[in-house]
Amino acid sequence: AYTITFKNDEGTTLWSGLQPKGSTAVYPLTNGIPEKAATATNSFEFVDWDTPLAVVTGDATYTASFNTVAKKFMVTWKDDKGNEIDHMEYASGQTPTHEDPVKEGYTFTGWTPAITAVMDKDQVYTANFKINQYTIRFVDEDGTELKVQTVNHGVKPTAPANKPTKDGYSFSAWNPGIVAATEDATYTATYLLNIASVTTS
């Protein structure tokens, strides 16, 4: 009998022992298929031995080759309320990407935590948003600025406390009518002509 040794591609001995002269060399473990221990990020698939297993005529060493297979991990995307937007598997080493989510009245500002390449575990990313703010102007009918304020999306602006005045006229309303802000807006004062009451005898 002769010593037959089997190693992996890194030189680690997988098995070594005596096998009878005249027999065909055989790897006696795991149904003849060598295995290489997985790492945190990769698994390994046996490809072949460096030379075909031959008839035993003396001591011999065979070295296995393996394909490296990146492990896959789940990446989950959530909105700022914790609701899942999407999920997808990525192989270790890949950097996940996702289109910017949309939220009415808000601007997307990024993901928490900062996106990095997938390594050795599942990952969850949460969207961050900043509420939109708008500039609201109140002007007299000649364009004179009466009040400027900044309001958040969905907030109804407040008109000037003192209504504008115009000789011979009474303030009527703001045009257009004041509504909750969804964009920058300008409101213009409108007037009604005063009509004098005349009494005849």
Side-chain angles (χ1 to χ4, degrees):
Y2 293 97
T3 299
I4 306 299
T5 301
F6 295 91
K7 296 185 175 183
N8 70 16
D9 51 357
E10 295 175 340
T12 302
T13 297
L14 300 171
W15 183 88
S16 184
L18 295 174
Q19 295 194 6
K21 178 182 177 180
S23 64
T24 299
V26 61
Y27 181 70
L29 304 179
T30 57
N31 295 320
I33 304 298
E35 296 177 347
K36 183 177 178 180
T39 66
T41 57
N42 298 310
S43 59
F44 303 93
E45 293 180 347
F46 174 65
V47 178
D48 207 348
W49 300 103
D50 58 339
T51 57
L53 302 184
V55 173
V56 175
T57 58
D59 293 345
T61 298
Y62 296 95
T63 300
S65 60
F66 295 87
N67 279 333
T68 300
V69 181
K71 289 183 178 179
K72 291 186 177 182
F73 299 93
M74 185 64 67
V75 174
T76 302
W77 310 89
K78 293 186 175 182
D79 64 19
D80 56 341
K81 302 298 184 182
N83 301 310
E84 183 176 315
I85 299 171
D86 200 0
H87 64 270
M88 187 178 298
E89 276 192 335
Y90 288 86
S92 178
Q94 287 186 311
T95 299
T97 60
H98 198 280
E99 63 183 7
D100 293 350
V102 176
K103 181 178 180 180
E104 184 179 358
Y106 291 76
T107 298
F108 173 71
T109 59
W111 298 99
T112 298
I115 295 174
T116 58
V118 172
M119 292 302 294
D120 57 358
K121 61 182 179 180
D122 296 340
Q123 183 64 63
V124 176
Y125 292 103
T126 301
N128 299 310
F129 295 92
K130 179 179 70 175
I131 194 166
N132 294 338
Q133 293 187 317
Y134 309 108
T135 299
I136 308 298
R137 300 171 64 244
F138 290 89
V139 300
D140 210 339
E141 66 175 1
D142 62 359
T144 301
E145 198 167 82
L146 303 172
K147 181 180 180 181
V148 178
Q149 65 182 130
T150 300
V151 298
N152 289 341
H153 177 86
V155 174
K156 189 175 181 179
T158 56
N162 296 321
K163 295 180 180 179
T165 60
K166 179 181 178 182
D167 289 344
Y169 291 79
S170 297
F171 174 77
S172 174
W174 295 102
N175 182 41
I178 301 173
V179 295
T182 57
E183 60 184 353
D184 293 343
T186 298
Y187 294 98
T188 303
T190 60
Y191 298 89
L192 291 176
L193 178 65
N194 293 335
I195 299 177
S197 177
V198 178
T199 302
T200 59
S201 57

